[in-house]
Amino acid sequence: MPDYSTRTAHILSRIHELAAISEDATGATVTRRFGTPAFLKGRDLVQGWFEAAGLETRLDGIGNLRGRLASRRPRAKTFVLASHIDTVVNAGKYDGPLGVLMGLDLVESIIQQGLDLPFHLELIAFSDEEGVRFHITYLGSKVVTGAFDPALLQRIDADGITLAQAIDEMGGNTAQLAADALPPTEWLGYFELHIEQGPVLWESGVPVALVTAIAGQQRMELTWTGMAGHAGTVPMPMRQDALAAASEFVLATEAFALAHGHGLVATVGQLRIPYSASNVIPGQVIHSFDLRSPDADQLAAAYAGIQTQAEALAARRGVGLTWQLVQATAPVQCDHELNRLLGQAIAAGGYEVVGLVSGAGHDAVPASAVAPATMAFIRCYKGISHNPLENVEAADVAAAMAVAERFLLELKDAHN
Ligand code: HGY
Ligand code: MN
Ligand code: MN
């Protein structure tokens, strides 16, 4: 009988070792954005673990770490186990790395048992799922799935560095990105283990669930342009205050999402005021806008409705508005057959089979365009994520490990 609690303790000790590598030299917060020295140092650590497990590893052109366990079957397809090792800023320890390190443990166990699978296994630690540095998500998985648009190479980060420059500086190779794709004919499927990042499992006491769908999301950048002025001399009715306009927009979109419900969520997570000073009326405000829904029609209607509201608000306030759509991803359904097997594995563990829609985006989204894809969610502390309070119970990770290992063995039997 596998000793999942010992294996889980090993996974969690690696989680803490990786979390100690951060852009924050004080170590007080966990931040490893795509291509930064901290990201590269963390990836080196994980690559050492891949190689110690016996995986043949390589770094692809966009910096994904790829470990391959070849099947002895010559015409075998490839089943991908993956998640990401980049993080948001001031992140938790588990969003991404937990899926990679649980996947590594599953592969280590297969190698130790000397199992010959009827498919190649490729374990991938994606280099940029969060899209923090260039505001575009899934850069790593887009390369592996062949969905990477070369035009993205011209995107610039807050320091004016292009994605192409960042890739070159980290030792990547922009000329290789197309060749790094796993051809659609070679995919058998995709499976990702990830913390739920929501409260459902926490409240229900269920340790692990399957994912039925992943919400669609749109990422925008809005720029409000008013008139900078003296905070002491411009009468209130004469102001074209860009921050007041942006603030009204934030509250109006919050009210819009609350009023429409059904999984619609709207967030302004980043905002900057160029040339800001306490005694200057903000002349310009630039901010992000993240809009999501599991329902494509609701997402489209909300996008149009909120944009119309924003334009009317800008006109009323005499403020200019530019609304730039940065990225749009449609909602995706997870694969029914994989979920049938995953549901069997969950039930065999004695757990209620819970199916969840993910409000968070995941690399399973690009993967679902080329292969049957699904995910398993692990219960996390109060559903908190993108926050240092992110946490998991070892018992829940152990439960998910048992389910995932049973799922892989079912997959082996199904393709033998
Ligand atoms: O934004 C997301 O949903 C994910 O954390 N990248
Ligand atoms: Mn994630
Ligand atoms: Mn995340």
Side-chain angles (χ1 to χ4, degrees):
M1 177 67 181
D3 179 358
Y4 291 113
S5 58
T6 303
R7 289 166 60 178
T8 295
H10 186 227
I11 290 165
L12 295 180
S13 74
R14 284 177 162 173
I15 282 280
H16 292 286
E17 193 174 344
L18 179 57
I21 300 173
S22 173
E23 291 175 50
D24 174 358
T26 70
T29 62
V30 177
T31 304
R32 286 191 313 276
R33 292 168 303 154
F34 172 77
T36 60
F39 166 82
L40 299 177
K41 190 175 173 195
R43 189 188 62 189
D44 288 348
L45 179 67
V46 178
Q47 185 168 12
W49 292 334
F50 274 36
E51 290 170 351
L55 282 170
E56 176 200 320
T57 68
R58 75 180 181 95
L59 300 175
D60 69 13
I62 200 161
N64 295 316
L65 168 60
R66 300 172 69 167
R68 194 165 173 81
L69 179 63
S71 165
R72 294 191 202 118
R73 314 277 175 92
R75 282 187 303 284
K77 292 198 170 193
T78 298
F79 192 78
V80 173
L81 284 179
S83 198
H84 59 95
I85 50 173
D86 68 307
T87 73
V88 293
V89 180
N90 192 21
K93 299 183 177 70
Y94 303 90
D95 172 7
L98 184 63
V100 172
L101 296 175
M102 289 175 76
L104 177 56
D105 178 277
L106 292 167
V107 173
E108 281 170 334
S109 171
I110 287 164
I111 292 172
Q112 284 158 9
Q113 295 174 65
L115 288 180
D116 177 38
L117 299 178
F119 43 82
H120 305 305
L121 256 190
E122 181 156 344
L123 177 63
I124 304 178
F126 289 119
S127 57
D128 188 339
E129 184 276 338
E130 298 288 4
V132 171
R133 193 169 162 193
F134 293 95
H135 205 188
I136 294 273
T137 58
Y138 313 143
L139 292 177
S141 48
K142 279 177 175 167
V143 166
V144 176
T145 58
F148 184 85
D149 176 357
L152 293 176
L153 293 169
Q154 300 320 314
R155 284 198 63 82
I156 58 168
D157 69 4
D159 300 323
I161 295 171
T162 65
L163 175 56
Q165 287 168 318
I167 290 172
D168 291 343
E169 283 167 14
M170 68 191 277
N173 180 349
T174 54
Q176 183 189 313
L177 300 181
D180 282 328
L182 185 66
T185 53
E186 289 187 26
W187 287 80
L188 178 66
Y190 176 95
F191 180 56
E192 181 169 358
L193 288 148
H194 202 289
I195 52 171
E196 178 199 346
Q197 299 178 300
V200 174
L201 296 182
W202 175 258
E203 284 164 6
S204 65
V206 175
V208 56
L210 57 84
V211 177
T212 56
I214 301 171
Q217 62 175 284
Q218 287 154 335
R219 291 189 173 195
M220 282 66 78
E221 181 172 275
L222 275 63
T223 302
W224 304 84
T225 305
M227 173 70 85
H230 194 300
T233 59
V234 181
M236 292 307 285
M238 293 174 66
R239 293 186 175 201
Q240 292 162 271
D241 184 331
L243 182 57
S247 306
E248 183 178 343
F249 171 81
V250 171
L251 294 175
T253 52
E254 180 189 46
F256 187 103
L258 281 167
H260 287 75
H262 302 298
L264 180 69
V265 287
T267 312
V268 173
Q270 267 179 319
L271 181 143
R272 61 190 171 87
I273 306 170
Y275 313 114
S276 66
S278 66
N279 59 349
V280 176
I281 301 165
Q284 190 176 63
V285 169
I286 301 157
H287 65 73
S288 64
F289 180 40
D290 180 310
L291 187 66
R292 308 188 191 202
S293 171
D295 178 302
D297 294 338
Q298 183 191 44
L299 186 57
Y303 181 92
I306 293 172
Q307 187 173 20
T308 302
Q309 259 185 358
E311 285 160 357
L313 184 170
R316 174 167 41 81
R317 285 177 168 271
V319 169
L321 169 63
T322 58
W323 171 294
Q324 184 201 355
L325 177 60
V326 176
Q327 177 176 18
T329 49
V332 298
Q333 298 300 313
C334 293
D335 182 71
H336 293 300
E337 177 53 19
L338 288 180
N339 272 345
R340 186 183 65 77
L341 294 177
L342 186 52
Q344 275 178 194
I346 292 172
Y351 307 111
E352 177 195 354
V353 179
V354 173
L356 296 177
V357 173
S358 174
H362 298 284
D363 291 304
V365 168
S368 65
V370 292
T374 196
M375 300 181 71
F377 275 171
I378 297 120
R379 188 168 78 134
C380 63
Y381 174 64
K382 292 186 179 175
I384 295 171
S385 183
H386 286 189
N387 179 318
L389 293 176
E390 199 177 87
N391 204 348
V392 291
E393 310 261 350
D396 293 341
V397 175
M401 283 302 299
V403 165
E405 193 145 75
R406 195 176 291 116
F407 168 68
L408 282 181
L409 293 176
E410 284 172 0
L411 204 65
K412 171 180 175 292
D413 296 343
H415 292 279
N416 256 336

